[in-house]
Amino acid sequence: MNTRMNPRYKITRHDQEGNPTLSLQECQNFFATKPDFVYRDFYSVTQDGVNMKINGHFFMWQYEGQEIPFRFYESELYVAAAHRAVMDKTKEVARGLEANYIEG
């Protein structure tokens, strides 16, 4: 059985003390200018007939009929890079927010 997980990346920016500095308001303003993103305060997924709903702040990227969640959590954005297009979009978002992206 292949249980390989997609690498997860975070988009982050830090102050001089090493604290993350992205704000929810800054991210909402940024993504509001992106027509291929939609904000949701939850993420819902169904697998094997079971529906799971996660509350939080999600910027859903609309890509080729799929929704890819960029989750804002504790002043950072997280995304699982399922394929090359997600990685390219992650880099684009990081540049737009003047932030870095790192695996983890």
Side-chain angles (χ1 to χ4, degrees):
M1 177 167 80
N2 183 359
T3 58
R4 182 176 171 266
M5 299 207 22
N6 295 322
R8 186 176 78 157
Y9 289 87
K10 68 179 172 180
I11 297 170
T12 188
R13 185 176 61 223
H14 296 93
D15 62 17
Q16 291 180 338
E17 288 79 37
N19 301 310
T21 62
L22 290 177
S23 72
L24 178 58
Q25 186 66 50
E26 176 184 13
C27 290
Q28 287 175 322
N29 292 342
F30 173 79
F31 286 111
T33 68
K34 307 294 179 201
D36 52 346
F37 278 90
V38 174
Y39 173 79
R40 292 214 181 98
D41 61 2
F42 68 92
Y43 177 63
S44 182
V45 64
T46 301
Q47 185 173 359
D48 299 326
V50 177
N51 187 333
M52 183 171 70
K53 180 180 175 184
I54 302 167
N55 292 321
H57 302 284
F58 296 89
F59 300 95
M60 304 300 291
W61 181 40
Q62 314 297 308
Y63 176 74
E64 293 186 348
Q66 298 179 39
E67 288 189 326
I68 313 295
F70 282 68
R71 183 181 189 192
F72 180 85
Y73 182 74
E74 295 186 357
S75 298
E76 297 176 309
L77 285 167
Y78 293 86
V79 62
H83 44 77
R84 181 72 188 170
V86 177
M87 193 65 235
D88 292 342
K89 184 57 76 170
T90 299
K91 291 175 185 178
E92 178 186 315
V93 169
R95 278 191 307 271
L97 290 169
E98 299 178 358
N100 297 310
Y101 64 93
I102 57 174
E103 190 169 354

